[in-house]
Amino acid sequence: MSTLTITHTHADGTLIDGTSRDDGSREILKTHRWRWSRNLGSWYIPQSRDRRAKTYQINTTAAALREAGFEVTIDVDDSYRPAAEVETDKVARQEARVEALDAKADRKAAAAETAWGAERAAYNALPEGGEPIKVGHHSENRHRKSVEKAWDALGKAVTSEREAAAARGRADAAARTTEARYAPVTVARRIEKLAAELRGYERTRDGYSRTLFTNSQTGLKEIEKHEPATGAHRERVLEEIERVADELAYWEGVRAQQLADGKVTPYSKNVVIKGDQIFYVGSWHHVVRVNAKSVTIRSIVGGSWTDRAAYTEIKKVRSADGAPVHVVDGARVVGDIDATSTKLSQEEDSNA
DNA sequence: ATATAGTTTGCTCGTGTTAC
DNA sequence: GTAACACGAGCAAACTATAT
């Protein structure tokens, strides 16, 4: 039997080379959750790009294939790629996907149109005025056939129409994913998450202790101590630290660029004051109090309860009298800054 | 589930402002 | 000038998020 090679690289994910149609590998691969890609012309493990190799899945698949008489070699390169490279690839693939889905949606729409045309034709072929089928007449058979045909054509057209709408929906959704991935608020949250992840790995690397509980009688604390990671585990942790630090740096760069481009405004406690109004999740709110990491807000429309908005979640700020509040070098500036910002603030007013 | 770190809130206190 | 009041800084308590 032929020799199969399972390879894992972060750029391409996990693939298997050397299979051919009907050689018996298909069933085994399917049961081990591999998928066939017409695009790649190969079987692959879903969600394996830029991830660590799924060793368990790879090994069990290999074992099953060997059991079936294949010779299998495994080649794993588990080194991470720089975040910038990963992102570039991801965006490019997404663009290609959008293009393909767009083309598909167009094809489906055209097919739907054709189907409706066929339905019209079939309907028009029916005898005038909803004439009943004359039983026993020489036209009975033909009449029955054409009624059935029209009914059939209608069904096909409706199905086709639904498929077209679904395809269009998928294409539109795909077109928005990259945008959403780089939306300022999302990026800000991702930075928070990565920073937390990094702290976690650093703790594992350096060791830590935690109090399980405090004896209320003696006041003594039961402490669980975690030693710093050693050996292979430590190596792995160091690798993860490097990866997360790289990702964090990448996204911080993205955020810095967004700030430079004016896509986000760095609101802070130095900018917002009590009495201001902020635009947050679709509506304006009164600022009740300014805190270090957020503002305490109250809904303008008859709100008695208060809510909070982190500075990164604030979309716009205006002063109590409605003048736009800008940020210049991290400081508060009320009103129009110059001629170019005048237009902007007018737009804001009309939106308000 | 629990401890702890991090944040916000309610409140006090001191200072400045206003009314008389 | 003094009392009353408003306001913000600062602090402890309350609350929330995070980590395991």
Side-chain angles (χ1 to χ4, degrees), chain A residues 176-250:
Chain A
R176 282 191 296 269
T177 52
T178 296
E179 201 185 323
R181 189 170 170 78
Y182 283 82
V185 173
T186 315
V187 170
R189 288 182 189 149
R190 186 175 297 125
I191 288 172
E192 287 294 307
K193 192 168 148 282
L194 286 168
E197 197 183 345
L198 185 60
R199 288 196 297 274
Y201 281 124
E202 285 172 345
R203 233 176 285 114
T204 309
R205 177 192 63 191
D206 302 336
Y208 61 92
S209 58
R210 69 175 182 129
T211 311
L212 290 171
F213 59 88
T214 310
N215 188 321
S216 56
Q217 311 270 291
T218 62
L220 289 174
K221 290 179 173 185
E222 189 61 36
I223 290 170
E224 181 185 68
K225 199 163 187 306
H226 292 255
E227 298 298 334
T230 56
H233 179 220
R234 183 182 172 82
E235 290 310 311
R236 170 74 195 280
V237 170
L238 292 178
E239 242 181 274
E240 293 300 320
I241 286 176
E242 195 186 339
R243 185 203 102 229
V244 177
D246 180 44
E247 275 186 39
L248 184 58
Y250 175 83

Side-chain angles (χ1 to χ4, degrees), chain A residues 8-15 37 39-40 44-54 78-81 86 89-90 93-94:
Chain A
H8 177 82
T9 59
H10 280 228
D12 298 324
T14 312
L15 305 172
S37 162
N39 216 6
L40 300 170
Y44 69 101
I45 294 183
Q47 306 280 328
S48 60
R49 274 192 177 120
D50 292 307
R51 305 265 180 96
R52 294 193 74 86
K54 301 178 187 189
D78 233 342
S79 47
Y80 286 111
R81 300 195 294 161
V86 173
D89 270 14
K90 204 170 269 208
R93 277 203 308 274
Q94 187 61 22

